[in-house]
Amino acid sequence: MSRRVRFTATAQEHVRREKAWWLAHRDYPDVFVDELARALEVVSRLPGAGSPYAASPVPGVRRVYLRRTSLHVYYTSDEREILIRAVWGARLEHGPDMRSDQP
């Protein structure tokens, strides 16, 4: 069973920023879009994918690693939907701020 996927405003901004960067700086800009789409498909079908993100102030946040783009997708889930909370660089020194996320 596949769950509905929604993005917080924060996550939507992260996606816009990353997509623009990939379009401007890479020879294969579709890599970001393709890898994100695959990750969303996985978490919509397997909400336990990835690993728990204990540093989050929001309970139940998990993250999956996007190998080709070196990003993490942070999300929470329930029986009906997956809420994408952030798309954030895995190499950054700190994680995303998810305290004020609104769907």
Side-chain angles (χ1 to χ4, degrees):
M1 178 176 102
S2 186
R3 290 164 174 78
R4 180 180 127 171
V5 177
R6 289 190 313 135
F7 289 76
T8 63
T10 298
Q12 288 173 3
E13 180 57 32
H14 293 167
V15 169
R16 279 191 291 274
R17 183 191 66 220
E18 290 295 336
K19 186 176 180 182
W21 188 90
W22 276 85
L23 286 171
H25 295 96
R26 294 291 185 214
D27 292 335
Y28 302 101
D30 291 338
V31 168
F32 169 72
V33 172
D34 293 345
E35 192 169 37
L36 178 61
R38 279 192 296 274
L40 296 178
E41 179 67 24
V42 168
V43 299
S44 74
R45 293 180 184 275
L46 301 167
S51 58
Y53 181 59
S56 174
V58 178
V61 171
R62 300 185 71 81
R63 68 183 181 183
V64 293
Y65 180 64
L66 308 182
R67 183 184 56 80
R68 295 173 67 197
T69 57
S70 295
L71 296 167
H72 279 119
V73 175
Y74 295 82
Y75 67 97
T76 53
S77 66
D78 63 25
E79 275 125 43
R80 293 171 298 161
E81 74 177 8
I82 303 296
L83 181 60
I84 306 301
R85 296 184 168 273
V87 177
W88 198 253
R91 294 181 180 157
L92 297 175
E93 293 180 15
H94 57 85
D97 181 5
M98 292 181 274
R99 288 176 290 195
S100 61
D101 275 347
Q102 296 299 317

